[in-house]
Amino acid sequence: MSTEDQAVGLVVASHGRHYAVALDGGGQRQCYTRGKKSGPAVGDRVTIRLEGDQEGVIIGIAPRRNLLYRSDATRSKQFAANLDQLLIVLAPEPEFSDDLTGRALVAAWSAGIEPVILLNKADLTAALARAQARLQPLVDLGVRVVTLSALDSGEVHHLLDPMLRNRRSLLLGQSGMGKSTLLNALAPDAGAATQAHSDALGTGRHTTTNTRLYTLPNGGELIDSPGFQAFGLQHLSAHDIEQGFPEFAPAIAHCRFYNCTHRHEPGCGVLEGVAHGGISPARHALYQRILEENEAAQRY
Ligand SMILES: Nc1nc2c(ncn2[C@@H]2O[C@H](COP(=O)(O)OP(=O)(O)OP(=O)(O)O)[C@@H](O)[C@H]2O)c(=O)[nH]1
Ligand SMILES: [Mg+2]
Ligand SMILES: [Zn+2]
């Protein structure tokens, strides 16, 4: 086939098996894939075969720097590819889940992507202190937490513009935390639907239904994604999971067995750390949950 029928571009939106691809030469096409292999993700560089004036078939995906995804025993769901930064969006209300937050951190660290927590809705002052207290163990681990209100766009620009410039970042979090509201504060032209709209329209709770990449007026690329309620990490190896708990590393050096799983082995440095206060029991419990889910999945 001649290369005149082909073009190269960036996947900027995905919805099921449909993708919007921004072509290097300008313009955007609606594209789809053929076959069953795991498909492209927002942030992928792809080659397409042109079809008509508006459409295309994705025929190749360039090698990825990284891919953030979640999976359970039956299926996997890609968040985005080739990321510089993961922005985990939390809020005092609705209450965020420690388990899901911990899993998002594991996903980022095991994929080599820098995570930052955005604690949104700082204007809800009555509930803010409790949310901050719940995040303190993660602050102690060295996770950067930026506290802000998406309703104050001046503050959002002031705090986030320097972090976002020249980088590709993904907004990730449970439904209702304010991801799309933050996006709109940074890129008013995005006009993303938020729950403020859907409340007014009386439509359902899940507002954002597809993943989409926006180019920010003050520099950088920001990807908005639908809220999630589960974050399976079945695709991670035991080694990957360990990478997701960087605070275990110094203790692991003291484990008696080289193949220690840090659950019941004698002479385990991690268990020692949990017993003597260096390692948080809640983090160790999360580690065990993830490891056990993976072992269960492998028995299928
Ligand atoms: N008080 C307050 N409300 C906010 C703030 N940010 C967002 N909200 C509100 O929180 C609700 C949810 O915001 P969205 O931006 O739709 O949340 P989302 O995370 O994109 O949700 P999904 O798309 O369903 O995943 C809306 O009613 C917003 O107006 C904030 O900083 N303060
Ligand atoms: Mg949204
Ligand atoms: Zn151990």
Side-chain angles (χ1 to χ4, degrees):
M1 192 196 304
S2 91
T3 50
E4 285 159 36
D5 305 331
Q6 296 184 7
V8 173
L10 176 71
V11 178
V12 293
S14 73
H15 193 101
R17 289 177 152 272
H18 294 267
Y19 303 89
V21 175
L23 301 182
D24 286 359
Q28 194 165 305
R29 283 194 176 229
Q30 276 307 120
C31 298
Y32 56 95
T33 54
R34 291 222 173 102
K36 274 202 155 174
K37 57 181 187 308
S38 107
V42 171
D44 267 327
R45 302 271 313 156
V46 292
T47 303
I48 66 169
R49 192 172 64 235
L50 305 177
E51 292 213 329
D53 296 338
Q54 316 275 329
E55 301 195 328
V57 183
I58 295 174
I59 55 173
I61 304 174
R64 293 165 172 146
R65 272 194 290 140
N66 54 52
L67 173 69
L68 197 77
Y69 67 110
R70 63 185 171 85
S71 57
D72 58 27
T74 56
R75 60 185 208 128
S76 82
K77 193 159 167 34
Q78 303 182 334
F79 289 120
N82 301 317
L83 298 170
D84 297 306
Q85 181 165 252
L86 174 65
L87 306 176
I88 303 170
V89 183
L90 306 176
E93 283 171 19
E95 188 162 83
F96 66 86
S97 152
D98 287 325
D99 177 83
L100 292 174
T101 305
R103 285 166 189 269
L105 287 170
V106 170
W109 278 322
S110 65
I113 301 165
E114 188 192 345
V116 177
I117 290 176
L118 303 185
L119 178 56
N120 187 32
K121 309 196 191 184
D123 52 296
L124 302 180
T125 45
L128 183 64
R130 186 175 131 74
Q132 284 175 315
R134 287 177 63 208
L135 289 176
Q136 191 55 46
L138 299 178
V139 173
D140 294 343
L141 287 185
V143 179
R144 186 165 166 205
V145 177
V146 178
T147 304
L148 78 183
S149 169
L151 304 183
D152 181 345
S153 69
E155 180 191 49
V156 171
H157 277 290
H158 174 72
L159 291 170
L160 300 188
D161 281 356
M163 283 170 52
L164 299 175
R165 202 166 284 140
N166 299 323
R167 313 177 82 182
R168 178 179 294 161
S169 310
L170 169 67
L171 292 166
L172 197 73
Q174 294 162 258
S175 192
M177 296 294 154
K179 299 178 293 298
S180 302
T181 310
L182 279 166
L183 165 71
N184 287 339
L186 290 159
D189 289 347
T194 66
Q195 271 180 26
H197 290 100
S198 34
D199 287 351
L201 295 169
T203 53
R205 302 260 255 62
H206 256 302
T207 304
T208 305
T209 52
N210 63 2
T211 302
R212 185 173 288 271
L213 179 148
Y214 299 84
T215 301
L216 298 173
N218 294 353
E221 293 172 338
L222 188 59
I223 301 171
D224 191 16
S225 68
F228 55 83
Q229 280 146 337
F231 206 132
L233 292 167
Q234 261 84 338
H235 53 285
L236 297 185
S237 67
H239 174 75
D240 292 334
I241 297 170
E242 253 180 43
Q243 300 292 108
F245 294 84
E247 77 270 35
F248 292 6
I252 287 172
H254 298 290
C255 293
R256 185 181 306 161
F257 304 112
Y258 80 93
N259 57 353
C260 187
T261 68
H262 325 302
R263 285 181 291 187
H264 38 63
E265 292 87 346
C268 170
V270 174
L271 292 175
E272 181 93 344
V274 174
H276 294 100
I279 291 174
S280 141
R283 291 273 298 166
H284 185 252
L286 173 65
Y287 165 81
Q288 284 190 294
R289 281 199 299 283
I290 296 172
L291 206 56
E292 274 150 28
E293 285 166 16
N294 282 37
E295 287 169 353
Q298 271 147 36
R299 276 184 236 118
Y300 277 97

